[in-house]
């Protein structure tokens, strides 16, 4: 859904299978929390994270969210 919305708006975006980690590549990289492990990005956006407030999450989901949030080196949205 996120990838389709970005492309509809004309934003260059690629899914994790197509990603080549080239610093010169100006594209939004869409990936799962699992595949983000060990990577860092200046800006990380986690759509829908605000809707998780008040929901009961299991320990694994909480860990994965932390992993995704910790990928941001400068800004987390």
């Amino acid at each position: 859904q996120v990838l389709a919305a970005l492309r509809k708006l004309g934003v260059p975006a690629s899914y994790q299978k197509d990603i080549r980690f080239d610093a010169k590549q100006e594209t939004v990289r869409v990936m799962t929390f699992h595949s983000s492990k060990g990577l860092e990005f200046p800006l990380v956006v986690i759509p829908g994270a605000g809707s998780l407030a008040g929901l009961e999450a299991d320990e694994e989901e909480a860990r994965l969210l932390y992993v995704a949030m910790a990928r941001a080196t400068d800004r987390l949205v």
Side-chain angles (χ1 to χ4, degrees), residues 54-69:
L55 294 179
E56 204 172 303
D58 66 23
E59 195 173 318
E60 179 62 18
E61 289 172 329
R63 273 193 221 129
L64 284 173
L65 180 58
Y66 175 78
V67 165
M69 293 170 69

Side-chain angles (χ1 to χ4, degrees), residues 2-69:
V2 173
L3 187 59
L6 289 169
R7 288 182 176 164
K8 185 176 181 180
L9 293 170
V11 176
S14 56
Y15 187 64
Q16 65 191 32
K17 293 179 185 175
D18 306 322
I19 294 173
R20 292 182 195 92
F21 292 97
D22 177 359
K24 296 176 187 176
Q25 185 184 30
E26 293 186 15
T27 182
V28 173
R29 296 170 178 109
V30 179
M31 63 183 60
T32 65
F33 290 174
H34 283 289
S35 63
S36 71
K37 289 179 184 178
L39 303 175
E40 292 183 333
F41 301 96
L43 170 65
V44 172
V45 178
I46 303 175
S51 65
L52 299 175
L55 294 179
E56 204 172 303
D58 66 23
E59 195 173 318
E60 179 62 18
E61 289 172 329
R63 273 193 221 129
L64 284 173
L65 180 58
Y66 175 78
V67 165
M69 293 170 69

